Amino acid sequence: MLASTALAIAGTAGIAGPAYAAGGTPLRVAMTADIRSTEPGVNRDGNSDMVVMHIVEGLVAFGEHAEIKPLLARSYAISDDGKTYTFTLRDGVTFQNGAPLTAQDVVWSWNYFMNPKTAWRCHGDFDGSGAAKVTAVDAPDPHTVVYHLEKPYGLFLGSLARPDCAGSGVVHRDSLNPDGSWNKPIGTGPFMLNEWKRGQYISLVKNPHYANQDGKPDGFTGSKRPLVDEVRFMIVPDDATAKAGLQRGDVDIIQDLSYSDVKTVQAVKGVKVATSPVMSLTALLMQTRDPLLSNVKLRQAIVHAIDAGQLVAAVGDGLMQPSTSMVPLISSYYDKTQQQAWKYDPALAQKLVQESGYKGQELVMMATKRYPETYSSGVIIQAMLQAVGINARLEVQEWASQLDRYNSGKYQMMVFPYSARLDPSLNYEMMAGNKDKQPRKVWDDPKALALIDSSSQITDTAQRQAQFDELHKLFLADAPMMPLFNGLDVGAFRDNVKGYTPWALKRARAWEVSKD
């Protein structure tokens, strides 16, 4: 009933909200659930981040391929010791209330969000309890902001840009009520908050003061012109209702269409579908401390027995491409070295099985139907392993049970979905580490751990690329797990919507989008 109500409201001519401009119906984006709050990075989830990132902006942001680029900053410089970051602000940027952006506003916002009482999601990433500690933030003049770190941290800019941190977005102090409590976000983004009708929609309207950058759209940065008067994020929990609304024209965009719905929706007249690789990862994990799988030849037999191309074509319904690198396909660090992969070679796999001393013992592989792609992958992998003489059995687990086994390291093999990380160092870190301290870690090769640690400290792109290339070669040789594919961002939209594109961070962007 809730979804039907939301769609009915979307199609009504008399749209509530004092700031709605009479330039036609709003651009309506279907979301599966309501946001949790409008406070950037506070009491948040993915939908909250998606909406808030239309309103607030930070000093830097992720580009189309998750590379760090300036946003409110015109430029930045890093000191030789890696502990001082100096940002120069762009000229002419104003808040949505018309006030000019100054360096003092950046400092005020930072201090507000770093106050423990604010409960900012990313407080622990900058207070020293995590990898970085910001010791001070200065504004030596109105256009310069200086961050001081206790020690070098090569992922500092990426941490600032994270969507779950709301991009460390800068807000005007009038975002607070007189008593210091949160009221609403007043940022510098292309849209500003108009109305939040809980359980139904969030209405954003064009920011008349938006200071756009030149160039083309580029992730969360680049050109971000608001080309429609209003954007409505509609709460439509039921997939069938959302698809019916798209077909009728009551919904303009479904921002996260399931893979299984792609062909059906593509056949709908007046609707288009677009896709983009994202940074999530599905992989076959192998417990390297298992009595059988501690043998690298058996692990190599397993990876050579799996036809990744055939598997991904079946699981992704022809939409995805395989990747056996920990660096996502869409990453700017994915190069020729990352394209090197284990060759599908059943004869070689059988030879390695014999050399490993394997005697047909049962190997149990876990998967869950909670994430259909992981279960389907498990079914296919089981058949491929059995074809080369490996006695694999698929064991289906409830997701909570599988997650417990993953965290404890109590498994032999497991098809597992990793959520997106936005830097290759973090991709490697999520699966590599000391198994005695963190049993969930998959790879504990000392040389690899040293490279991962180094890659997270340095900022030089060429040096980091060289380290990721060396890591990939070590990874192929040791075969502690087999990455299978990155996920997809699948968007469906009416054919009168122009400029909408899915992208690596899997969050809808309503700027640079128009509606006839």
Side-chain angles (χ1 to χ4, degrees):
M1 179 65 77
L2 180 62
S4 298
T5 302
L7 287 173
I9 291 171
T12 302
I15 298 175
Y20 174 68
T25 58
L27 181 70
R28 296 157 298 187
V29 182
M31 296 194 309
T32 55
D34 205 348
I35 63 174
R36 296 175 63 90
S37 80
T38 64
E39 191 169 5
V42 178
N43 186 24
R44 54 151 297 278
D45 60 10
N47 284 344
S48 307
D49 300 338
M50 181 169 63
V51 172
V52 167
M53 293 291 277
H54 285 75
I55 303 171
V56 303
E57 298 176 318
L59 294 170
V60 293
F62 285 108
E64 202 73 19
H65 298 283
E67 64 275 59
I68 300 298
K69 296 188 175 183
L71 182 50
L72 292 180
R74 182 175 73 241
S75 61
Y76 58 82
I78 306 171
S79 63
D80 291 339
D81 64 3
K83 297 194 292 186
T84 304
Y85 287 71
T86 303
F87 299 88
T88 302
L89 299 183
R90 289 165 46 208
D91 295 325
V93 177
T94 62
F95 288 102
Q96 289 149 358
N97 61 3
L101 171 70
T102 68
Q104 287 76 15
D105 294 310
V106 178
V107 174
W108 181 89
S109 279
W110 181 260
N111 291 336
Y112 171 76
F113 288 112
M114 285 300 292
N115 184 336
K117 293 181 180 179
T118 302
W120 186 39
R121 160 71 176 84
C122 297
H123 178 272
D125 294 280
F126 300 108
D127 71 346
S129 59
K133 183 175 183 178
V134 177
T135 57
V137 182
D138 305 326
D141 63 62
H143 286 88
T144 307
V145 182
V146 182
Y147 280 71
H148 303 275
L149 276 62
E150 184 177 66
K151 60 183 180 180
Y153 182 49
L155 303 183
F156 175 65
L157 293 174
S159 297
L160 286 181
R162 279 167 41 188
D164 58 327
C165 306
S168 304
V170 180
V171 296
H172 192 271
R173 61 197 70 201
D174 286 352
S175 300
L176 307 185
N177 291 310
D179 63 359
S181 61
W182 182 257
N183 180 18
K184 67 177 182 178
I186 301 174
T188 62
F191 293 95
M192 49 191 185
L193 182 64
N194 176 40
E195 180 184 24
W196 178 13
K197 195 157 188 177
R198 293 176 187 268
Q200 294 189 15
Y201 60 81
I202 305 96
S203 168
L204 308 183
V205 292
K206 179 187 297 187
N207 173 14
H209 303 288
Y210 188 62
N212 192 48
Q213 297 188 83
D214 293 332
K216 61 182 182 180
D218 190 359
F220 277 130
T221 183
S223 183
K224 296 170 61 177
R225 295 173 299 166
L227 301 181
V228 294
D229 294 319
E230 182 186 15
V231 178
R232 284 202 175 191
F233 291 93
M234 312 298 302
I235 316 306
V236 191
D238 180 67
D239 287 345
T241 305
K243 288 182 288 184
L246 184 70
Q247 185 170 0
R248 291 194 306 268
D250 295 333
V251 165
D252 299 305
I253 297 169
I254 297 177
Q255 62 92 19
D256 190 13
L257 189 70
S258 66
Y259 302 165
S260 59
D261 287 330
V262 169
K263 289 187 176 179
T264 302
V265 173
Q266 282 178 325
V268 175
K269 184 179 180 180
V271 172
K272 295 183 178 180
V273 176
T275 66
S276 171
V278 297
M279 295 193 163
S280 58
L281 172 69
T282 296
L284 174 66
L285 314 188
M286 290 178 275
Q287 178 51 269
T288 59
R289 291 189 174 180
D290 178 78
L292 294 174
L293 292 169
S294 60
N295 189 319
V296 68
K297 286 195 173 183
L298 183 56
R299 299 199 303 271
Q300 285 286 352
I302 289 170
V303 297
H304 285 293
I306 298 171
D307 185 342
Q310 180 183 341
L311 182 150
V312 173
V315 171
D317 208 11
L319 298 171
M320 298 185 295
Q321 64 183 95
S323 175
T324 55
S325 171
M326 290 303 302
V327 179
L329 285 166
I330 198 72
S331 171
S332 59
Y333 287 101
Y334 189 91
D335 66 356
K336 290 182 179 179
T337 299
Q338 315 305 320
Q339 294 174 20
Q340 296 175 14
W342 299 287
K343 182 182 178 183
Y344 171 56
D345 189 337
L348 175 59
Q350 290 175 323
K351 179 174 180 291
L352 289 166
V353 166
Q354 293 176 348
E355 292 177 357
S356 73
Y358 173 73
K359 302 299 183 183
Q361 301 96 320
E362 183 178 73
L363 283 174
V364 178
M365 174 175 51
M366 297 179 184
T368 180
K369 291 186 177 180
R370 164 79 175 271
Y371 299 100
E373 293 80 16
T374 66
Y375 171 71
S376 299
S377 296
V379 171
I380 296 170
I381 290 170
Q382 179 187 31
M384 291 177 175
L385 295 184
Q386 290 175 343
V388 299
I390 297 174
N391 181 16
R393 176 171 66 86
L394 182 63
E395 183 178 287
V396 180
Q397 296 259 349
E398 294 294 328
W399 171 239
S401 298
Q402 181 172 338
L403 193 58
D404 286 343
R405 298 288 289 273
Y406 163 76
N407 285 324
S408 65
K410 295 178 179 178
Y411 63 89
Q412 287 183 297
M413 296 190 294
M414 176 183 293
V415 185
F416 191 78
Y418 285 105
S419 57
R421 270 62 169 181
L422 302 178
D423 185 274
S425 294
L426 300 178
N427 281 77
Y428 276 106
E429 188 277 334
M430 73 184 177
M431 51 72 70
N434 187 327
K435 290 191 177 190
D436 293 324
K437 295 180 179 179
Q438 295 177 293
R440 64 182 173 84
K441 298 297 187 178
V442 181
W443 197 24
D444 57 358
D445 177 77
K447 186 175 181 181
L449 298 184
L451 281 168
I452 294 166
D453 183 64
S454 175
S455 71
S456 70
Q457 300 300 321
I458 62 176
T459 57
D460 182 81
T461 301
Q463 291 180 30
R464 300 190 79 217
Q465 183 71 67
Q467 291 182 335
F468 296 140
D469 290 351
E470 187 175 354
L471 273 166
H472 184 65
K473 293 174 183 177
L474 287 172
F475 184 75
L476 292 178
D478 206 23
M481 62 185 273
M482 183 176 184
L484 299 171
F485 53 85
N486 300 125
L488 281 180
D489 184 11
V490 184
F493 48 94
R494 300 288 304 176
D495 60 5
N496 64 333
V497 172
K498 310 297 181 186
Y500 181 76
T501 55
W503 71 303
L505 269 63
K506 205 171 184 176
R507 286 170 171 84
R509 299 167 294 178
W511 53 82
E512 295 293 335
V513 178
S514 61
K515 178 181 173 182
D516 292 341

